[in-house]
Amino acid sequence: MSFTPFTRQQLLPQEEMLEVAKQRGELFIGLPKETSYQERRICLTPDAVASLVAHGHRVLMENGAGLTASYTDKEYSDAGAEITYDTKKVFGCPVILKVEPPTVSEIEMMNPETLLISAIQLKTQRKEYFEALQGKKITALAFEFIKDSDGSYPAVKSLSEIAGTASILIASELMISQKLGKGLLFGNIMGVPPTEVVIIGAGTAAEFAAKTAIGLGASVKVFDNSINKLRRLQNSLNQRIFTSTIQEKAILKALMRCDVAIGAMRGKDRSPVIVTETMVERMKRGAVIIDISIDTGGCFETSEVTTHEKPTFVKHNVTHYCVPNIPSRYSKTASLSISNIISPFLLQMAEDGGIESSIRCNAGLKHGIYFYHGRLTNSSIAEWFSLNYTDINLIVF
C-alpha cells in the first residue's frame, strides 16, 4: 500500500475554486533621498502622500528627500508621511519609489521580494544592476515602460513635454548671454524679423518646443523623416509651419539662417547624427544649439554631454547646451508631473490587491514590469545586455 499525504476525499475530483472578489491591499512605501548626480526630483508630492495616507497606506520618507524639489519635511509630515534619518529603514520598505534607478549598494539594503518602482535609464545601466535585482528576487517596474489605455507612455510623454518647452526658454536665455549671446529677444517685435528656429524631430518634445517658439512669435522649421509625425505635429499646432523631410541641402540652408537649433530626434539604440560638424561651422556666429536627445547620443556631431552646473560650451562660435536631464532643472514641475502619473497607479494597485493582481487586471502596468521575482521579463534589456529572459505572459496570465 502506498502512503499519501492526502485523504481519500482530497484525492477525488474537486470543484474548481475561483476568485470571487479582489482583496484590497495596504501599501507601505519607502521614499529615499535621490543620490544620483544632478537629480532634484521626487516621485510623490505632499498632496499625493496625503491622498495615499487617506486611503490607509503608509509612506516612510528619508529626511530632506523633497528639499531639492522645494518641498519641506514639515509639508510631508503634515500630509501624513513618517520621516526618518535612517536610509536603511527606508530601503527596508516593501515598496520602494525612486526617480533614478537605485545603485547596487542601495539594492543591497533592500529586502528580498521588494517591489521597486523607478526609472530604468537603459542607456546608462550596467549588467551588475540586473544581477543585483536577480539576487534579491526583486519585482521592478520602470516608469518609461508603463503604458496608458491609449497605448502611449505617459511618463515619457510628460517629461518630453517639459524638455521641449524648456529648450526654448533656455535658448531665449542663452541668446542674451554676455559672452557670445547675440542680444536677441526671442520673439516677434513689430518691424523686426522674427527669431528663426530649426527643430530636428517631430515627436512630443519637438511639438512642445514648436508650440513654445510659435507662442513667443518665432518662425519655426521642423525636419523629420516621418511624414506621419510631421502631419500629426501640423494638426496639433493648428497652423501651417515649414516642415520637411531630412535632406542635407534643405537642412543646411535652414541652419545657416537660424538663430536656434533644437535636436529632438530619437533612434532605436542611439539618436541619429543629423547635423555634421561642417554644417555647424556654417551656422551664424552666436547661434544656439539645444540638444535634447543628448541622453541617447545627440543629433549634432559637435554635441558633448554637459552638466546643470556648467551647461554650455562654445564650438565654432556656436553655443551648445547639452544637459541630459533637462526636466531636473524644473524639479518642482517635473515632480508634480511624475507624481500625477504614479499616484493613481499606486492607488489602483492597492485596490486590486497588490502588484500580483494588478498586473493581471492592467496590461499597461504589466508592460512596465521588467523584473518579476528576480526573473528578467523584458526582451530589449535581454538583447542589450545579453541576458536570458522569460516572457511575463508565460508567468502571469
Side-chain angles (χ1 to χ4, degrees), residues 94-262:
V95 181
I96 302 293
L97 207 52
K98 269 184 112 285
V99 178
E100 293 276 327
T103 60
V104 173
S105 57
E106 285 171 337
I107 295 170
E108 286 304 310
M109 289 190 261
M110 292 183 198
N111 291 325
E113 305 283 349
T114 295
L115 168 62
L116 166 68
I117 304 172
S118 74
I120 183 175
Q121 293 174 352
L122 204 50
K123 304 290 183 288
T124 61
Q125 224 34 280
R126 305 222 313 269
K127 204 170 182 174
E128 297 90 84
Y129 170 76
F130 301 105
E131 286 163 353
L133 292 178
Q134 195 172 5
K136 288 273 178 151
K137 289 193 166 24
I138 280 167
T139 297
L141 184 71
F143 296 155
E144 303 102 305
F145 297 158
I146 298 175
K147 273 189 176 179
D148 224 332
S149 50
D150 63 352
S152 66
Y153 295 90
V156 176
K157 205 170 186 176
S158 185
L159 294 172
S160 295
E161 289 172 7
I162 294 171
T165 305
S167 66
I168 298 296
L169 302 178
I170 292 163
S172 68
E173 288 171 37
L174 294 175
M175 279 166 66
I176 53 163
S177 69
Q178 253 59 62
K179 277 186 191 171
L180 197 73
K182 302 167 78 173
L184 275 177
L185 176 66
F186 201 116
N188 188 357
I189 305 303
M190 197 58 67
V192 179
T195 310
E196 297 216 8
V197 179
V198 167
I199 299 170
I200 296 159
T204 307
E207 180 192 326
F208 276 76
K211 277 181 178 171
T212 311
I214 289 165
L216 289 169
S219 165
V220 176
K221 292 179 179 177
V222 180
F223 292 85
D224 195 287
N225 271 334
S226 164
I227 295 292
N228 273 342
K229 279 187 177 179
L230 290 170
R231 184 177 288 118
R232 187 193 62 82
L233 184 127
Q234 280 274 28
N235 292 339
S236 69
L237 291 176
N238 288 326
Q239 68 180 88
R240 288 278 163 211
I241 59 163
F242 176 101
T243 56
S244 169
T245 51
I246 295 166
Q247 293 155 8
E248 197 176 328
K249 198 176 174 185
I251 211 160
L252 177 61
K253 194 177 172 186
L255 286 167
M256 284 166 69
R257 295 185 60 177
C258 79
D259 303 296
V260 175
I262 308 279

Side-chain angles (χ1 to χ4, degrees), residues 266-284:
R266 303 272 162 189
K268 190 176 181 288
D269 291 334
R270 69 147 285 152
S271 299
V273 176
I274 305 294
V275 179
T276 62
E277 189 158 351
T278 47
M279 287 178 171
V280 174
E281 282 172 13
R282 296 183 69 179
M283 286 175 74
K284 285 183 190 173

Side-chain angles (χ1 to χ4, degrees), residues 17 80 87-88 94 173 184 221 232 257 290 295 306:
M17 305 291 277
T87 310
K88 212 165 182 178
E173 288 171 37
L184 275 177
K221 292 179 179 177
R232 187 193 62 82
R257 295 185 60 177
I290 311 276
D295 55 349
T306 59

Side-chain angles (χ1 to χ4, degrees), residues 14-23:
Q14 305 286 311
E15 67 271 20
E16 189 182 0
M17 305 291 277
L18 293 172
E19 188 180 13
V20 288
K22 292 175 190 170
Q23 286 290 307

